Amino acid sequence: MGRKLRATGATLDVLEALLLPDEELYGLKIARTVDRPTGSVFPILARLEDLGWVVSEWEQSDPATRGPRRRFYRLSPEGLAGARTMLEEHRAGRRTLGVRAAGSLVPRTDGAS
């Protein structure tokens, strides 16, 4: 599993959602939580699963009682550590570079570098 994961905004959003203390995180719920289309979220979840960062399992309840089965996702121990590190690095980079506003970097004015 030597492949790297690109830290796109959508990927970071999905990782943040997976860090939420929620036992029933399924694809549509994650997409709604991060306000991203399912066409972006499901491929990210598949990549995370291929990398071993995410494990998934199908809902066990009878679909006739609720509707189509859902697939639940959670971070693996490796994924939990990787997600935390990636998000911390992203946040540290934003503190260093400034914040994005209207698509451009805004220099910090608090004297920090």
Side-chain angles (χ1 to χ4, degrees):
M1 296 194 197
R3 294 183 359 212
K4 290 263 186 180
L5 180 65
R6 276 189 33 219
T8 65
T11 299
L12 295 169
D13 287 347
V14 169
L15 289 173
E16 284 197 62
L18 289 166
L19 287 169
L20 295 173
D22 188 343
E23 295 297 316
E24 293 194 343
L25 279 174
Y26 52 94
L28 183 58
K29 186 174 188 179
I30 294 168
R32 287 179 178 161
T33 298
V34 301
D35 195 27
R36 300 267 183 181
T38 55
S40 296
V41 171
F42 282 108
I44 291 168
L45 290 168
R47 280 192 297 275
L48 291 169
E49 195 163 17
D50 286 346
L51 289 169
W53 280 33
V54 165
V55 292
S56 67
E57 59 187 42
W58 284 103
E59 181 175 41
Q60 298 300 313
S61 67
D62 181 14
T65 61
R66 198 205 46 79
R69 284 190 317 161
R70 298 175 291 189
R71 190 170 186 161
F72 296 110
Y73 297 88
R74 64 181 167 79
L75 289 167
S76 67
E78 178 186 347
L80 181 62
R84 286 181 175 156
T85 299
M86 185 176 278
L87 289 166
E88 286 171 11
E89 288 173 357
H90 176 71
R91 289 179 188 130
R94 287 186 65 184
R95 281 193 299 273
T96 302
L97 296 174
V99 295
R100 290 200 179 271
S104 61
L105 286 176
V106 175
R108 294 190 63 152
T109 57
D110 61 2
S113 36

